[in-house]
Amino acid sequence: MFRLILACAIVAAPLAAQTPATPPTPAMPGATPPPHTLTPPTLRTPTADTGIFSPLDLPQSTAMRTADGTPGPHYWQQRVDYSIKATLDTAAKTLRGTEAIHYTNNSPDTLRYLWMQMDQNLFRPGSTGSLLFASDSRFGAAGFAGGFEIERIEQVTAATPARGRVRAQAAGRSPLRTRVEETMMYVALATPLAPGHSTTLDIAYHFNIPEHGADRMGHDGPLYELAQWYPRMAVYDDVHGWNTDQYFGQGEFYLEYGDIDYEVTVPAGYIVAGTGVLKNPATVLTSTIRSRLATAAHSDSTIHIVAAADLSSGAARPGHRGTLTWTFHAANVRDVAWAASPEFLWDASAWDGILANAYYRQTAEDTWKDAAKMSRFSIKEYSTHWFHYPYPQISAVEGPVSGMEYPMVAMEAHSRTAEGLYNVVTHEIGHMWYPMVVGSDERRYAWMDEGFNTFINTFSEEDYWQRSDSANRKGEAQFVFRLDQMPNAQPIMTPANRYRGDGNLGSLAYVKPSIVLLALRNKVLGGEVFDSAFREYTRRWAFKHPKPADFFRTMESVSGQDLSWYWREFFFTTDALDQAVESVRQTNGRAAIVLRNFGAAVMPIDLELTFNDGTTQLLHYPVEVWYGGDRYVAVVETDKQITAARVNPDGYTPDIVPADDRWTAAQ
């Protein structure tokens, strides 16, 4: 059949244009007949499969990262353990410290050099970050003499015992050659690090503490919030090797996991809240405070650990003068941060053995009095829905930072309303899952950090306040998809350092990923299927380093659907969705509804029909109806007269032009 049709098609074209034949010239006796020649037809240029439904060009799957989105049998990642000792000088507003970094090379490569993150260098005068963001902007550098000053960096060689004729070798130290490139530092190793081996670096450093540390750290009077406060190892992974993207203030972080022990020495009157578990409570806390903490550890209601009366009477602090050293241990974390103030009130409660703390000043008490309750609810919410919180505590800290997260520490400013405070508290605590547990690269893929977190915040906010925020979601959808029509539009996959303005930051990192994940859940996969896939992604990549392809493949593998079209239109492009009802025609008990897809993006169709008796009917059509092009005729058997037809009746599909969603009989 195919051959016959093809032959007819080839023959028919020349016949339509043929001219009267010229009689052939007789051949001379013994001459060679002329070769038979054909004029080649003009053929259309071939078309590649580049449509919205074509396969998505993802990185090749390997034994490291499999085709179904699972970490493969050969998956590896580096491990970094730290031991840090630091002293806070509140008079000079400086921090001085030493750190021992134990670096384990689990890669198959021999490393002859390392890279370290030097985030405090953002605050050096003339840094690239200070040129991009004004000092008074949210991500601006302070514009003062900041930055890490490295006093010492050495590679420590472990002692080796004598074996046979090989002499014992004493432990040694080798000063290392370094090169600082803005907020990254190249470290040439004295002894190369072979696969499966470890080495230790010994570093001494200090820096001046910026007042406004790009809204991620800083100080306000006697209150200090310390983050990015020690040189940290950059990530070495199977995709990019060394990840050396600069820190400009806006893009966040990508870090290795390990155990971190740290000591911070502060004035004796200070209370310290930090990542991890306090190891010396008997030294820094009174017996009364320790007793209240023990009560809070088993209480689902808020216990005042340090009340205003304790601060005024001095009962909150041990009777020491000078300084006190607080010692913490944090297991399986990618970072540590801490805050210290002599003015902290301290509340706590617990859920499932996890202590939920809130530290705040009396000036914030009107809204922060419920912060421990909010923290407890958030931990329970995310543990119940997605993945059980793996750490022993969470600390919400009030201070000058408007909102920033670190493992077990959530920094928030004083909010005017309880609703405003909860939205920030639950957002920063949501980051304990993404990216603190699921360790994505925030600098390249901010949406895997902020977007995933904004998505889970949707359910947390609705559950806490016992309400529906659907109207807000509709407004957010219109906001972000209109931005996609602006001249500076960028796709979600744009790295955070390359966003064109704050509007794109809010849209591409936070709101748009959340909106399209909600649409994928509610309009494509359904809640049960989406939630199981999202949980599986979280479980698979907990304490690992997923890439976008790992997320896409996991969602497809668990849902059993090819979602290439969805990732392409909403993550890799700024394609717009515009579904419309073009016309309705009824004859002999049958209606033909002409549906159009005017944008480059596609979605399944929700079609609501309204009849002349006031009843309605909701019909669902899968996304595959657009395989045939941008026009689809829905045929409906009905004896009733259709008075109106509407696509996207609930407004949850991210349609950019709602005006053409509805047809009425008057049209």
Side-chain angles (χ1 to χ4, degrees), residues 54-131:
S54 62
L56 192 63
D57 186 20
L58 295 177
Q60 183 67 38
S61 61
T62 65
M64 281 282 297
R65 299 170 187 271
T66 67
D68 75 342
T70 306
H74 295 166
Y75 179 83
W76 57 264
Q77 68 187 46
Q78 311 292 60
R79 179 182 175 91
V80 187
D81 301 297
Y82 297 85
S83 180
I84 311 169
K85 297 180 180 180
T87 299
L88 173 65
D89 185 336
T90 57
K93 297 180 177 59
T94 62
L95 186 135
R96 185 174 298 274
T98 62
E99 63 176 326
I101 303 175
H102 189 71
Y103 188 89
T104 302
N105 180 18
N106 293 319
S107 82
D109 309 319
T110 295
L111 303 179
R112 289 176 167 76
Y113 59 88
L114 309 174
W115 280 94
M116 301 189 71
Q117 297 191 25
M118 305 285 284
D119 303 319
Q120 287 297 320
N121 290 357
L122 172 69
F123 308 111
R124 289 191 188 281
S127 71
T128 299
S130 68
L131 300 177

Side-chain angles (χ1 to χ4, degrees), residues 28-62:
M28 296 295 292
T32 303
H36 180 68
T37 59
L38 290 175
T39 301
T42 301
L43 301 177
R44 186 179 183 277
T45 302
T47 300
D49 185 7
T50 58
I52 194 67
F53 290 107
S54 62
L56 192 63
D57 186 20
L58 295 177
Q60 183 67 38
S61 61
T62 65

Side-chain angles (χ1 to χ4, degrees), residues 252-586:
E252 294 183 11
F253 314 108
Y254 185 30
L255 299 162
E256 303 284 17
Y257 288 94
D259 293 347
I260 303 181
D261 293 286
Y262 66 104
E263 299 177 1
V264 292
T265 300
V266 298
Y270 274 61
I271 294 173
V272 178
T275 302
V277 175
L278 180 65
K279 303 303 291 183
N280 63 336
T283 302
V284 298
L285 301 177
T286 65
S287 59
T288 300
I289 300 304
R290 298 198 304 272
S291 175
R292 293 173 184 171
L293 274 174
T295 301
H298 302 283
S299 174
D300 58 3
S301 58
T302 299
I303 304 297
H304 297 300
I305 309 302
V306 175
D310 298 319
L311 290 180
S312 59
S313 68
R317 309 299 304 118
H320 291 271
R321 295 183 178 181
T323 61
L324 275 177
T325 297
W326 295 61
T327 303
F328 295 88
H329 172 74
N332 205 16
V333 293
R334 33 179 271 168
D335 196 8
V336 292
W338 52 281
S341 174
E343 301 173 343
F344 274 151
L345 303 177
W346 181 2
D347 295 339
S349 65
W351 175 79
D352 199 26
I354 301 163
L355 196 64
N357 301 290
Y359 300 83
Y360 55 98
R361 294 168 290 184
Q362 286 181 266
T363 53
E365 187 173 10
D366 55 338
T367 52
W368 271 77
K369 66 182 185 303
D370 289 328
K373 172 187 174 184
M374 295 173 177
S375 300
R376 179 185 183 276
F377 185 92
S378 298
I379 291 293
K380 179 181 179 181
E381 167 80 16
Y382 301 132
S383 294
T384 303
H385 281 83
W386 309 112
F387 184 86
H388 195 278
Y389 187 66
Y391 297 122
Q393 62 94 5
I394 184 66
S395 294
V397 181
E398 180 264 331
V401 175
S402 65
M404 186 58 197
E405 72 285 348
Y406 301 94
M408 295 178 249
V409 173
M411 299 178 181
E412 295 96 12
H414 175 216
S415 296
R416 294 180 179 179
T417 65
E419 180 177 354
L421 179 61
Y422 182 77
N423 291 353
V424 179
V425 166
T426 201
H427 178 82
E428 305 310 334
I429 291 179
H431 277 304
M432 301 305 118
W433 281 259
Y434 313 97
M436 300 307 163
V437 169
V438 182
S440 56
D441 180 352
E442 302 173 75
R443 210 158 282 176
R444 278 192 180 88
Y445 310 112
W447 60 272
M448 299 180 74
D449 158 31
E450 300 293 356
F452 287 175
N453 187 30
T454 304
F455 166 74
I456 65 173
N457 297 160
T458 300
F459 306 100
S460 176
E461 292 169 16
E462 290 188 336
D463 290 348
Y464 187 81
W465 298 110
Q466 293 294 295
R467 70 185 186 202
S468 171
D469 286 338
S470 58
N472 292 342
R473 302 293 87 80
K474 293 177 186 177
E476 290 171 349
Q478 288 299 307
F479 163 72
V480 298
F481 287 103
R482 283 171 183 160
L483 280 181
D484 282 347
Q485 304 305 305
M486 297 294 112
N488 64 344
Q490 296 171 288
I492 286 176
M493 294 292 285
T494 304
N497 280 336
R498 301 173 198 167
Y499 291 154
R500 300 173 188 148
D502 289 344
N504 281 12
L505 167 64
S507 173
L508 303 181
Y510 295 77
V511 184
K512 185 175 179 181
S514 174
I515 291 297
V516 298
L517 288 176
L518 286 168
L520 180 62
R521 180 183 189 270
N522 299 330
K523 295 300 181 181
V524 180
L525 299 180
E528 182 179 352
V529 173
F530 179 97
D531 292 355
S532 65
F534 201 69
R535 291 189 196 105
E536 178 63 10
Y537 164 74
T538 306
R539 185 197 66 79
R540 286 179 177 181
W541 291 97
F543 308 108
K544 296 181 176 67
H545 295 318
K547 304 298 181 185
D550 302 313
F551 171 67
F552 298 150
R553 285 170 165 151
T554 296
M555 296 301 290
E556 292 185 354
S557 175
V558 178
S559 70
Q561 295 197 34
D562 179 1
L563 298 170
S564 296
W565 57 276
Y566 201 85
W567 314 131
R568 175 179 286 104
E569 64 193 20
F570 290 132
F571 288 82
F572 289 89
T573 75
T574 57
D575 288 349
L577 176 72
D578 180 22
Q579 295 179 345
V581 181
E582 185 174 79
S583 64
V584 176
R585 183 170 297 178
Q586 286 188 261

Side-chain angles (χ1 to χ4, degrees), residues 232-255:
R232 302 179 292 182
M233 292 303 307
V235 171
Y236 185 80
D237 64 25
D238 61 298
V239 177
H240 299 286
W242 285 109
N243 287 261
T244 57
D245 284 2
Q246 294 287 339
Y247 173 48
F248 294 145
Q250 181 167 276
E252 294 183 11
F253 314 108
Y254 185 30
L255 299 162

